[in-house]
Amino acid sequence: HSHANLMLLSVGCGNVCSTKRNEYETSSKQTDEMASKLMERPWNYLSSTFPWACFLSEGAYKRVYKVFNRTHRVEEAVSVMDVDQIQSTGNMNVVGAELAVSVMLSSLVRRGVCPNFVATRGVFSCPFEPPAHHWGCVEN
């Protein structure tokens, strides 16, 4: 549960996406923004951690890239959502739903119940999307 909360906070979705608040929760917009900033990564972090990538697919709310993770020395998938764009359309609940499903499926993968899904290793925010010339896009 705490992993899911961190994922939601990473995109500034702590208060916006929750449908039920507990009387013991003290989370505020300021706390959510601070947590979001703590999980923000600059482009040089992405390019050094994932030195190469290729575009795989695009959906209504996100793009998926195949990347090489230099730290773990494995190929992985990275999905990229433009949270500001999603928020501007009034669909911020989509971000929360995406992250919640990712956490649940990842839990099944780690338990060996459903190995056909992808384990979520982490979530971070970045103020810029990956440049098409570096990670590719629909056209190339």
Side-chain angles (χ1 to χ4, degrees):
H1 191 259
S2 60
H3 188 82
N5 287 338
L6 275 175
M7 291 174 75
L8 291 171
L9 286 173
S10 74
V11 293
C13 196
N15 288 327
V16 178
C17 294
S18 60
T19 55
K20 194 161 118 179
R21 296 304 272 179
N22 181 318
E23 63 199 50
Y24 300 107
E25 290 184 57
T26 59
S27 181
S28 67
K29 184 175 178 164
Q30 185 178 18
T31 304
D32 291 353
E33 288 171 1
M34 191 169 64
S36 179
K37 284 292 180 196
L38 288 172
M39 296 186 80
E40 188 173 288
R41 303 291 182 260
W43 173 247
N44 64 354
Y45 165 82
L46 286 177
S47 60
S48 64
T49 304
F50 309 110
W52 67 259
C54 71
F55 176 82
L56 291 178
S57 67
E58 183 173 46
Y61 294 106
K62 69 180 180 179
R63 280 182 239 120
V64 180
Y65 300 88
K66 177 180 172 181
V67 298
F68 177 75
N69 185 321
R70 180 177 284 161
T71 306
H72 297 284
R73 306 192 61 75
V74 295
E75 290 182 350
E76 299 178 324
V78 168
S79 57
V80 177
M81 290 189 285
D82 186 340
V83 176
D84 293 332
Q85 174 63 30
I86 294 168
Q87 186 174 23
S88 74
T89 64
N91 290 313
M92 200 61 174
N93 61 324
V94 169
V95 176
E98 258 317 304
L99 295 174
V101 168
S102 294
V103 168
M104 288 187 285
L105 292 176
S106 187
S107 176
L108 293 175
V109 171
R110 285 189 173 87
R111 293 179 194 162
V113 176
C114 289
N116 298 325
F117 293 107
V118 176
T120 301
R121 200 182 287 271
V123 173
F124 58 88
S125 63
C126 183
F128 309 102
E129 66 180 289
H133 70 274
H134 189 75
W135 281 15
C137 61
V138 174
E139 291 81 31
N140 63 5

